[in-house]
Amino acid sequence: MYRPFYIYLLHTLISVSASTAFNDNTRPLDIALFHSLSRIGPPVVSPDATKVLFTQSRYQHNTTTTYINVVDLAGRIAQVTPSKGSEAYGNPIWFDNETIGYLHKNKLYKQALNSSTATAIYSPETDISSVSYRQGRLFFVASVYANSTLAETKTKRGDSVLIYDNIWVRHWDEWMSERKPALFTAELDNWQVGEETNLLQSLPTFYDPQHRWCMDDYTVDRQGQVAAFLARTPENEQSWKTSVGVYTVPTDGSDAPRLISKGIEGASSAPAFSADGRHLAWLQITEPAYESGRKRIYVSDVASGATVNVAGDWDSSPLSLVWSQDGASLFTVVADNGNHNVYQVDVATGHYRPLTKAGSASAVRILGNDLVLLHSDTDSPSDIYRLNVSSGERRALTAINEKALENVYIGGAEDFWFTGARGDLVHGWLVKPPGFDSTKKYPLACLIHGGPQQCNTHSFGYTQWNPNMYASAGFIAVMINFHGSSSYGQNFTDSIKEQWGGYPYDDLMMGLDYLIGKHAFIDAGRMVALGASYGGYMVNWINAQSRRFRALVSHDGMFSVPHFWYSTEELWFPEHDFGGVPYDPMARPRYEQFNPERFAANFSTPTLFIHGANDFRLTFDQSLAPFTLLRRKGVPARLVYFPDENHWTSRTSNSIKWYTEVFRWISTFTNTTLPYSLD
């Protein structure tokens, strides 16, 4: 049952404390409880900056329900849409301060906050997403055929064949097709939606319809006059180039899109207009075939096209951008020593300062002179916070899992630094089990992140790599940000080039040695290692190089490095990290140096392999091969295959099964009694 906003305010006041950590209790965070926790969407601020819309999703009785809430600045929350069965209400927007919109079953609805009645105002002919509203205009993304309307795209061809002359035939979990994402706009007058206009239709024609212009992201100025979007320039062979450009286009379609990032061949991201619409900022990698290069802040004058690089000497990689109201500052989230901190950057001087110093922030939005954002930490799930820019004070507006986590233990991260490869300081942290007793011995689970140019963060994730899930299963959960990880400067990130099984492996082994030498409560004879993607590669490399683990878990990992190049979809990735192509005699030794397959005779540790059928980054044979190897050698091995998953395990029911199989595996080989039943 949900109540309109005005009724809710008359009857209910929810007080939200500044701290939402739940680390004082002892009941373990078990698999069922973890997956029943609510997940919160990014904040959507009302035009008068007094209210915030957000989505909330929860999993119950094998069904995920997503609905929309509104919260005011006093922390009073009201449910706006129903929550029943598998219904999904998403993409909330504001039409004005008292009227909202949202997508439901691919229809756009409007609804007054003081009413529970919604009216469908737009029923598009094909699926749409990323809807926004500016000054009487709707904007949205739809995948359409070349120069086609939504209605024309609805008509399907008679056959289903896909024919390719371009090497980039698939990406992540989709085969390239003639339907590509495009930015559309339509006038909204008296709740009547006018004819849709494809704002990309004036881009030059490319001969291959399956590799034509493809839009990645967009934003629109507050005046509703100019849109900026990201697009990958169509080329004959896109799979070894990362170039993504920033374009602007008049929202009335009166002119063709104009390339703003001209002369820069790397990947662009995060376009953002200033409040007055006069300036456009974005993030830019300047290396043309490296997806993990340092992102630099660029600001362009929309009228003249004059562009400057802001804070060019900053050895950090911003992740997002939003302008201050006065246009003097940019706010950005930066990976910072295992945290995702909010920084304020002075546009004129390039001076930057942190506004948060711990945990993980995301989805930063302007709220008057303050900010509103999502924030989590190792011991606290994501909630919406208001951040005072002047003082740095952060106050929670929501605490959506507070009741569910009463009497539940969620451990905080205990950070450590040690001397790793190259003599560099390396950062990691551990999370202890509930009821921890330093006089006892505990098994250890080493969680190895993917990327590899990513990092573990102090955050509460809803994926398969939340350290508190392993701690609640009775393990000391350890996470180490080895060489190649982001958030420690670009040199540290770049150091993994041609060193996949070198520096990172040394860091992991040296980090474990450090912990074992420092903490008598770690049972060195009962350790396991688990990883996904690059982490799965590292698990296979460990199997080839070490005997110190009782069991291993490799999710969507890599067994054959040369075969990775031949079967993956983003060739720029291995060509950068291994310095060439594997058929080149000069580069082949770099592919073989840290190739687990080359050391197949050494594999002897029991391993659980997990793979999704639709993973085109690391194909299924990369798990089938080492599984076959171990079984043929008589070593315990198990294969968990998800026919409906990709590089990740996204479906909640599959995630439950994932954790069940993993905990059964690692508890069996470490002789650990779990604190709850897996049945």
Side-chain angles (χ1 to χ4, degrees):
M1 181 67 180
Y2 70 103
R3 287 179 272 182
F5 187 54
Y6 76 103
I7 295 178
Y8 188 92
L9 293 183
L10 292 174
H11 291 86
T12 308
L13 175 65
I14 295 179
S15 298
V16 182
S17 63
S19 173
T20 54
F22 308 93
N23 57 1
D24 296 326
N25 303 292
T26 56
R27 185 161 67 93
L29 181 64
D30 62 41
I31 296 173
L33 174 58
F34 175 73
H35 289 91
S36 71
L37 296 178
S38 287
R39 307 183 186 194
I40 192 168
V44 183
V45 180
S46 62
D48 62 2
T50 63
K51 299 178 286 292
V52 174
L53 295 171
F54 64 94
T55 59
Q56 182 173 340
S57 299
R58 64 185 182 202
Y59 180 81
Q60 292 179 317
H61 312 300
N62 297 318
T63 298
T64 298
T65 303
T66 302
Y67 52 96
I68 297 170
N69 295 329
V70 62
V71 60
D72 67 11
L73 302 188
R76 294 173 293 194
I77 301 173
Q79 186 173 328
V80 179
T81 62
S83 54
K84 58 182 180 180
S86 59
E87 297 285 283
Y89 297 81
N91 199 155
I93 60 174
W94 293 93
F95 289 117
D96 56 47
N97 291 318
E98 301 300 330
T99 311
I100 69 167
Y102 52 80
L103 286 178
H104 176 56
K105 296 181 178 178
N106 202 47
K107 291 183 179 181
L108 180 64
Y109 287 80
K110 75 172 182 72
Q111 179 177 332
L113 281 182
N114 62 359
S115 171
S116 60
T117 301
T119 303
I121 61 172
Y122 183 42
S123 301
E125 297 282 352
T126 189
D127 290 348
I128 65 172
S129 62
S130 304
V131 180
S132 62
Y133 174 76
R134 291 282 194 280
Q135 304 297 331
R137 279 190 174 275
L138 290 174
F139 300 87
F140 56 87
V141 175
S143 291
V144 295
Y145 295 117
N147 301 316
S148 296
T149 64
L150 273 64
E152 292 167 342
T153 296
K154 183 181 179 181
T155 304
K156 297 181 179 179
R157 297 182 328 199
D159 62 79
S160 61
V161 67
L162 298 172
I163 301 172
Y164 299 97
D165 294 312
N166 194 308
I167 198 172
W168 207 17
V169 301
R170 54 189 188 176
H171 194 221
W172 284 119
D173 59 357
E174 293 182 328
W175 291 87
M176 292 295 180
S177 74
E178 293 185 19
R179 292 180 61 170
K180 299 294 182 186
L183 176 59
F184 283 82
T185 185
E187 289 187 356
L188 180 62
D189 184 15
N190 197 27
W191 304 116
Q192 300 296 311
V193 179
E195 183 178 355
E196 308 106 341
T197 298
N198 184 343
L199 293 177
L200 273 65
Q201 64 185 352
S202 297
L203 288 169
T205 301
F206 188 66
Y207 78 95
D208 186 344
Q210 293 181 152
H211 294 85
R212 58 186 176 81
W213 296 91
C214 181
M215 196 207 71
D216 287 347
D217 191 14
Y218 82 93
T219 188
V220 181
D221 65 11
R222 292 190 188 181
Q223 296 72 28
Q225 296 178 352
V226 180
F229 63 87
L230 305 175
R232 189 180 299 276
T233 306
E235 299 183 56
N236 288 333
E237 307 298 352
Q238 293 178 286
S239 63
W240 62 77
K241 297 180 181 179
T242 59
S243 297
V244 174
V246 181
Y247 293 79
T248 59
V249 61
T251 57
D252 61 5
S254 60
D255 202 355
R258 179 167 62 102
L259 177 62
I260 300 299
S261 55
K262 190 173 183 179
I264 309 174
E265 294 190 21
S268 309
S269 60
F273 281 105
S274 58
D276 60 11
R278 294 174 56 191
H279 293 91
L280 176 69
W282 75 92
L283 300 176
Q284 183 70 53
I285 296 174
T286 56
E287 297 90 338
Y290 184 30
E291 63 182 357
S292 299
R294 181 162 67 91
K295 294 180 181 178
R296 296 165 169 84
I297 300 173
Y298 280 76
V299 175
S300 177
D301 184 290
V302 174
S304 69
T307 301
V308 296
N309 178 206
V310 176
D313 61 346
W314 194 9
D315 190 27
S316 290
S317 237
L319 303 174
S320 60
L321 291 174
V322 62
W323 286 85
S324 62
Q325 289 280 39
D326 61 7
S329 299
L330 285 162
F331 300 102
T332 180
V333 174
V334 173
D336 191 7
N337 287 347
N339 300 294
H340 279 168
N341 288 327
V342 180
Y343 276 74
Q344 182 180 21
V345 182
D346 187 288
V347 175
T349 67
H351 175 75
Y352 49 89
R353 69 182 183 99
L355 302 181
T356 63
K357 297 182 179 179
S360 290
S362 63
V364 178
R365 307 288 187 262
I366 293 295
L367 185 76
N369 293 321
D370 291 342
L371 300 175
V372 64
L373 49 86
L374 292 180
H375 193 275
S376 75
D377 210 331
T378 305
D379 57 358
S380 52
S382 289
D383 273 299
I384 296 176
Y385 287 79
R386 182 178 183 176
L387 178 64
N388 186 296
V389 172
S390 298
S391 67
E393 178 188 3
R394 180 167 49 87
R395 186 173 68 85
L397 298 181
T398 67
I400 61 170
N401 286 302
E402 188 171 38
K403 184 176 180 180
L405 291 171
E406 287 178 350
N407 304 316
V408 176
Y409 171 85
I410 301 183
E414 298 185 20
D415 292 68
F416 58 88
W417 293 79
F418 62 95
T419 301
R422 304 195 309 183
D424 295 336
L425 283 178
V426 177
H427 182 207
W429 54 88
L430 60 84
V431 179
K432 294 173 180 174
F436 174 78
D437 183 345
S438 63
T439 66
K440 295 181 179 180
K441 290 279 191 178
Y442 293 87
L444 180 147
C446 180
L447 308 180
I448 306 171
H449 73 70
Q453 293 95 345
Q454 297 176 0
C455 67
N456 300 308
T457 59
H458 292 95
S459 61
F460 190 93
Y462 295 96
T463 68
Q464 293 74 48
W465 306 99
N466 187 315
N468 264 290
M469 288 296 289
Y470 299 85
S472 276
F475 290 77
I476 301 293
V478 172
M479 310 180 90
I480 293 173
N481 280 335
F482 44 78
H483 280 80
S485 300
S486 57
S487 84
Y488 303 93
Q490 195 62 41
N491 179 270
F492 193 85
T493 301
D494 294 344
S495 67
I496 198 172
K497 180 178 171 63
E498 301 176 18
Q499 279 288 328
W500 269 41
Y503 299 152
Y505 175 81
D506 293 342
D507 290 339
L508 292 169
M509 298 303 109
M510 296 165 82
L512 293 175
D513 290 342
Y514 167 82
L515 291 175
I516 293 167
K518 183 176 181 180
H519 300 301
F521 55 77
I522 294 176
D523 189 340
R526 296 165 65 208
M527 298 196 301
V528 296
L530 312 88
S533 193
Y534 171 82
Y537 158 85
M538 180 53 71
V539 164
N540 288 330
W541 183 247
I542 287 171
N543 212 336
Q545 302 296 318
S546 174
R547 301 291 178 270
R548 71 187 306 177
F549 296 97
R550 295 290 295 274
L552 301 169
V553 177
S554 174
H555 173 105
D556 286 11
M558 185 193 305
F559 176 65
S560 172
V561 176
H563 180 66
F564 170 54
W565 182 90
Y566 286 103
S567 59
T568 196
E569 11 77 276
E570 292 184 353
L571 292 183
W572 64 70
F573 181 15
E575 289 183 14
H576 173 274
D577 281 15
F578 297 103
V581 294
Y583 58 80
D584 180 352
M586 298 297 293
R588 183 72 183 206
R590 294 190 287 271
Y591 279 80
E592 294 290 357
Q593 182 181 8
F594 299 115
N595 179 15
E597 180 191 15
R598 191 163 67 95
F599 301 89
N602 296 347
F603 277 54
S604 61
T605 303
T607 305
L608 174 66
F609 298 96
I610 306 173
H611 220 103
N614 298 319
D615 183 0
F616 300 154
R617 177 59 46 85
L618 285 159
T619 51
F620 170 61
D621 48 304
Q622 292 278 10
S623 286
L624 179 62
F627 169 73
T628 301
L629 168 68
L630 289 179
R631 295 296 299 184
R632 184 66 179 85
K633 296 175 73 173
V635 177
R638 177 171 292 170
L639 177 64
V640 175
Y641 176 74
F642 290 105
D644 54 354
E645 294 288 2
N646 49 30
H647 198 57
W648 301 271
T649 304
S650 302
R651 293 182 56 190
T652 306
S653 57
N654 287 341
S655 180
I656 292 171
K657 184 63 174 176
W658 191 101
Y659 268 114
T660 301
E661 291 299 320
V662 167
F663 285 172
R664 180 175 287 121
W665 187 261
I666 63 176
S667 64
T668 296
F669 285 96
T670 57
N671 194 27
T672 299
T673 301
L674 297 174
Y676 54 85
S677 173
L678 293 176
D679 298 324

